[in-house]
Amino acid sequence: MRWTERIASLLSVLALVTATPGAWGQDGEPIPQDELPAFLGPVPPDHFTWRVDNSIDFVIYRGKANPPLVGTTGFYLGDWPQDLEPSQSTVKSRLGRFPAKWHRSVGPDGSIHQEAIIALGGVLNLKAHVWAKAPNEDQLQKILSVLGQLPTFSSGAIPAYFQSLHDRLAGEQRIRRMIWICWCALVLAGAWLVDRIYRRRRVSAALRLVIFAGMIAASIAASIAATLAAGALLGGIVTDWFIIGRGLLLLAAAGIVLVIALLLAGGLFLARRFRTRTT
């Protein structure tokens, strides 16, 4: 996503999330009827009146409780949640399957407002900024109990709005794993063959470790070249973050292997020199 779109998205979410509680049930559009069953799951549709705001890379759901429930609730889904406002106290509990640290404030009339940011994880690494307001503790707990039964919080289900993006990123994740497995298998197989050759030539273990480190360095260069070539040839199929992320992970892992190999080689070399001097 371009930075201009990201900034526009961030500005729009700030305007939406900071809306006054009285406007929560008025903003947005009704959830489409074909998406409502998947969104509600086991929750009866008459418990809340839900509305939704869709943006470039986030979605905001707002719910107004219907009698006998009293209160409002809502949650933002995306990767840029607004910072929590200062509160009078914090309360730890769970919302569905996820732990939540609620920031709670109590009004002069006894009404309770609380909000929390919950990491939903998964391929998209979504975060939910959840808020709820009720006239008393009993109504608040009933609202949160219903909210926790939504598939988003009870099972971590992805809303339909994010499904196409989720499927694409899940496919890219499978490709990354396959590339890593193949790369590791090739490096280990090559290292084993080279080690057998030099072992037959009676090369020391320290030198063989240095040779192994050199193979890792060569594989890094080859992998970076292959990654750049794939990015140039595939263009839009391979996203920028995929290329950069894979390259950084590869460099980090290969760097660790290089350091370990060189440290072991140095240790073996010093141990051999020490044994030679003592004998």
Side-chain angles (χ1 to χ4, degrees), residues 105-166:
S105 297
V106 180
D109 58 350
S111 62
I112 304 172
H113 173 268
Q114 64 183 37
E115 56 181 327
I117 294 178
I118 299 174
L120 302 180
V123 176
L124 297 175
N125 195 27
L126 290 176
K127 297 179 179 63
H129 186 161
V130 189
W131 60 89
K133 184 175 182 179
N136 53 57
E137 180 70 24
D138 180 63
Q139 285 291 329
L140 180 67
Q141 293 306 317
K142 289 180 179 178
I143 288 175
L144 294 179
S145 176
V146 174
L147 191 63
Q149 297 177 47
L150 296 179
T152 300
F153 303 108
S154 62
S155 63
I158 302 298
Y161 182 75
F162 293 102
Q163 195 60 54
S164 60
L165 178 60
H166 174 272

